[in-house]
Amino acid sequence: MSSLSNILQLGIKELRSLYHDPALLALIVFSFTLGVYSAATSVPETPHRASIGIVDEDRSQVSNQIINAFQMPYFLKPVDIDYSQIDRGMDSGVYTFTLNIPARFQQDLLAGRKPTIQVNVDATQISQAFSGAGYIQQIIGTEVAEFLKHYRAVTADEVVSVVHMEFNPNLISSWFGAINEVINQITMLSIILTGAALIREREHGTIEHLLVMPITPFEIMVAKVWSMALVVLAAAGLSMFFIIEKWLQIPINGSLALFLAGAALHLFATTSIGIFYGTLARSMPQLGLLIILTLIPLQILSGGMTPRESMPEGVQNIMLAAPTTHFVELSQAILFRGASLSIIWPQLLALVTIGSVFFFVALSRLRKSLN
């Protein structure tokens, strides 16, 4: 009971220290609010109010049909321009896209020839250039096909491929980006907060006060682990409810409680990593460098940014020792596919095993550093 009381009181002390650290508090708030929102919306997956100018040299039914197909909110109302205005308009940034529909375009279509429409793209508008060009090609292809149906028979394909999108029917990238950002922030902040808590003790000189008290390194470490993990877990839960579900309107298919339980096991491992780094680093800049060297490979190779199946087999096997690999897998299974405990229990077991190893390695290092 005395040991539990020490762990509780030391954890409360850590929470008070964090409360009086405005920089870390601001980092937590930003990471789970604007950080998540910007990750979801910074790169739009569809063009939005893109400006477009069209040179219509054909003035036919099909050219008019193509022009009328560009509508809000994807495109602004097309501007009728002449050929001399194409370069000038794109150089000045007036138009993101310009089209040149050649003369006799409809006549060539009906004659069975293959006329072309020139599409110019301002690639400096990187957020809309690639997706917008694809939309324009699709719109032109659809309108031309609809036009030709009225003039010639359309032969049915012998084999038709029908694709059904599961879990994300409209392929909205913000759904993936926002949830993946929450997963990444849980990992990053748990390492930073626990490492900073130990370095803060050393910089303020309070670590010496702890050493002269009847407190063991185990109690010191457990106190820092539970207090910082609780802060990150609470922030993640609030972010999932207020930012993901309410603000971004992203549906959560699975159990939020099960996700938080998996996050708690993940935090057991990552906070231990933070303690280990805190024993290696002598200052906050050193801690930051250690985190950068570790965090970026963890995020890239754990399956959060790219599928693990596309990585070399050796990398896949090595990353099985990282807690982020299993956490990303169970998080996506729960939040995207609505997986239950019967499906994700191998990942939970892996997190318990990896977390235990990291905990005792960090505890051993802490004891040596305090002695």
Side-chain angles (χ1 to χ4, degrees), residues 108-128:
D108 290 341
L109 277 178
L110 296 177
R113 292 185 285 269
K114 297 181 179 180
T116 59
I117 294 178
Q118 184 184 41
V119 179
N120 303 297
V121 182
D122 180 5
T124 61
Q125 303 289 338
I126 190 63
S127 62
Q128 301 196 84

Side-chain angles (χ1 to χ4, degrees), residues 326-344:
H326 307 282
F327 180 55
V328 168
E329 186 174 352
L330 74 86
S331 298
Q332 293 179 352
I334 294 172
L335 301 177
F336 292 148
R337 301 187 289 274
S340 61
L341 181 61
S342 61
I343 295 177
I344 64 165

Side-chain angles (χ1 to χ4, degrees), residues 108-188:
D108 290 341
L109 277 178
L110 296 177
R113 292 185 285 269
K114 297 181 179 180
T116 59
I117 294 178
Q118 184 184 41
V119 179
N120 303 297
V121 182
D122 180 5
T124 61
Q125 303 289 338
I126 190 63
S127 62
Q128 301 196 84
F130 179 76
S131 59
Y135 268 67
I136 290 174
Q137 293 180 31
Q138 183 178 2
I139 289 173
I140 294 175
T142 300
E143 296 303 323
V144 169
E146 289 292 329
F147 173 78
L148 293 177
K149 283 182 180 179
H150 297 86
Y151 291 92
R152 64 174 67 135
V154 179
T155 58
D157 297 331
E158 295 183 2
V159 177
V160 179
S161 175
V162 180
V163 180
H164 298 278
M165 306 299 178
E166 193 70 29
F167 312 120
N168 188 357
N170 296 323
L171 298 179
I172 302 175
S173 63
S174 62
W175 289 17
F176 178 82
I179 292 177
N180 189 61
E181 186 67 14
V182 172
I183 296 171
N184 289 336
Q185 297 297 350
I186 290 174
T187 302
M188 181 188 72

Side-chain angles (χ1 to χ4, degrees), residues 122-356:
D122 180 5
T124 61
Q125 303 289 338
I126 190 63
S127 62
Q128 301 196 84
F130 179 76
S131 59
Y135 268 67
I136 290 174
Q137 293 180 31
Q138 183 178 2
I139 289 173
I140 294 175
T142 300
E143 296 303 323
V144 169
E146 289 292 329
F147 173 78
L148 293 177
K149 283 182 180 179
H150 297 86
Y151 291 92
R152 64 174 67 135
V154 179
T155 58
D157 297 331
E158 295 183 2
V159 177
V160 179
S161 175
V162 180
V163 180
H164 298 278
M165 306 299 178
E166 193 70 29
F167 312 120
N168 188 357
N170 296 323
L171 298 179
I172 302 175
S173 63
S174 62
W175 289 17
F176 178 82
I179 292 177
N180 189 61
E181 186 67 14
V182 172
I183 296 171
N184 289 336
Q185 297 297 350
I186 290 174
T187 302
M188 181 188 72
L189 287 176
S190 59
I191 297 176
I192 291 177
L193 292 181
T194 48
L198 188 57
I199 292 177
R200 188 167 52 231
E201 298 275 16
R202 186 179 295 112
E203 290 180 342
H204 295 173
T206 55
I207 192 70
E208 287 79 7
H209 298 168
L210 294 177
L211 293 177
V212 299
M213 298 175 65
I215 298 174
T216 65
F218 175 82
E219 295 170 351
I220 295 175
M221 180 171 174
V222 173
K224 295 183 185 301
V225 166
W226 81 256
S227 57
M228 296 300 102
L230 179 63
V231 171
V232 175
L233 194 64
L238 293 174
S239 179
M240 292 296 298
F241 181 76
F242 289 104
I243 306 301
I244 300 295
E245 291 191 290
K246 299 301 181 182
W247 191 1
L248 295 172
Q249 299 293 312
I250 297 175
I252 302 298
N253 292 324
S255 169
L256 184 58
L258 185 58
F259 165 73
L260 293 177
L265 294 178
H266 176 63
L267 287 168
F268 174 53
T270 53
T271 50
S272 299
I273 296 175
I275 294 293
F276 180 77
Y277 284 167
T279 62
L280 296 178
R282 296 301 173 184
S283 63
M284 287 299 293
Q286 289 184 7
L287 176 65
L289 290 175
L290 286 173
I291 291 175
I292 290 174
L293 291 174
T294 306
L295 193 63
I296 294 178
L298 285 178
Q299 291 181 349
I300 294 176
L301 302 178
S302 61
M305 294 184 178
T306 56
R308 295 186 66 245
E309 292 77 9
S310 63
M311 303 176 191
E313 186 175 353
V315 174
Q316 296 184 39
N317 295 332
I318 292 173
M319 289 304 296
L320 290 176
T324 50
T325 300
H326 307 282
F327 180 55
V328 168
E329 186 174 352
L330 74 86
S331 298
Q332 293 179 352
I334 294 172
L335 301 177
F336 292 148
R337 301 187 289 274
S340 61
L341 181 61
S342 61
I343 295 177
I344 64 165
W345 69 265
Q347 288 75 37
L348 295 177
L349 182 60
L351 286 176
V352 172
T353 304
I354 296 172
S356 300

